[in-house]
Amino acid sequence: MANLDKFSDPNVTAKGEARARVALTHPETLWFNTGTLCNIECVNCYIDSSPTNDALVYITADEVRDYLEQLVSRNWPVREIAFTGGEPFMNPEMIDIAECSLAAGYEVLILTNAMLPMMRKRIKQGLLELNAAYPGKLTLRISLDHFDRANHDTERGKGAFDKTLQGMNWLRDVGIRMHVAGRTVWGDSEATSRAGYSALFAKNGYDIDAFNSGVTVLFPELDERAEVPEITTACWGILDKDPKSLMCASSRMVVKRKGAARPAVLACTLLAYAPEFELGTTLQEAEQDVALNHPHCAKFCVLGGASCSA
């Protein structure tokens, strides 16, 4: 059972040691949560997305444009605008949002399950036009939890694997770049997982490198109840870990909470519901250091070495 005092104080650990903090040293990716509504409900969704969860409401193209302007005024050297959900293609303005981001000169990454919302005629036409207008700038990261149909469907529902592959087949045929996000809940070794994905990609003719960790991303599982150590300032040397390698050194995420007058900027894509990781409503406010006082900071980022960005 975890110590209830752990991760509670942003400055010190339960043992009274100085808690590690991370500065925003090189902003590379600005994330937007497009809304928590999703066409499916996964067994272990870190953000509890579902067809009924609208805790984070649809962000609008005008709101995204405002933050793109802030990137310029704050002189953030961001190269990529990334979108997660929920299912981003549930957002009725998703194509407009992607277009304004591409038009501003950024690369765009959209996380999707490649199922029905993406396969609607209007969305497909929009993606085709964006890919033609901004060649090499658009990437869709497909949520393919496992290379095995049965395991994937255990998380996402019967038939989900085949529906996602239908979407991937369309993306393959029209030449839109794909990456993949997998999970490690089944306990496969990394070598086994990557070999399995590689075989699946080869079988289906997908131009996806299963052995590139930035292209096929394997995420550790997120369990706030798990017993994990707190990260102190001494850990950087002990673990030979550079704080600049963590997501909160290179990214921020914008969300729109239900009932809120305007969006908020968060320290991390994984902590949309943790108020202590809300940094304000502007990018200027979000330039502050981030205290690593959440179990995900330890397990996912510091010890797991994972990142939501490529």
Side-chain angles (χ1 to χ4, degrees), residues 185-213:
V185 65
W186 296 274
D188 297 329
S189 69
E190 181 168 350
T192 298
S193 292
R194 295 197 180 281
Y197 279 108
S198 181
L200 177 69
F201 299 161
K203 177 182 178 181
N204 290 278
Y206 301 150
D207 184 17
I208 305 171
D209 186 351
F211 299 98
N212 183 329
S213 62

Side-chain angles (χ1 to χ4, degrees), residues 86-161:
E87 167 52 50
F89 291 114
M90 296 277 286
N91 186 316
E93 297 189 40
M94 189 62 238
I95 295 298
D96 291 340
I97 287 170
E99 198 281 331
C100 72
S101 303
L102 289 162
Y106 299 102
E107 297 176 27
V108 164
L109 174 68
I110 304 174
L111 278 56
T112 177
N113 56 38
M115 295 172 74
L116 181 60
M118 188 197 78
M119 293 295 282
R120 289 174 293 166
K121 182 178 180 180
R122 180 180 67 85
I123 299 298
K124 289 166 69 176
Q125 184 60 36
L127 288 172
L128 288 172
E129 292 172 0
L130 290 176
N131 197 51
Y134 304 96
K137 294 292 186 178
L138 176 66
T139 303
L140 271 59
R141 182 189 289 168
I142 315 302
S143 298
L144 195 63
D145 287 342
H146 198 268
F147 52 84
D148 175 77
R149 176 184 286 101
N151 284 336
H152 178 90
D153 285 1
T154 297
E155 289 291 320
R156 294 180 177 257
K158 186 175 180 180
F161 185 85

Side-chain angles (χ1 to χ4, degrees), residues 56-73:
L56 301 182
V57 297
Y58 291 146
I59 202 159
T60 68
D62 284 343
E63 288 166 337
V64 171
R65 288 188 187 97
D66 176 60
Y67 284 98
L68 297 180
E69 292 171 0
Q70 290 183 48
L71 285 176
V72 175
S73 64

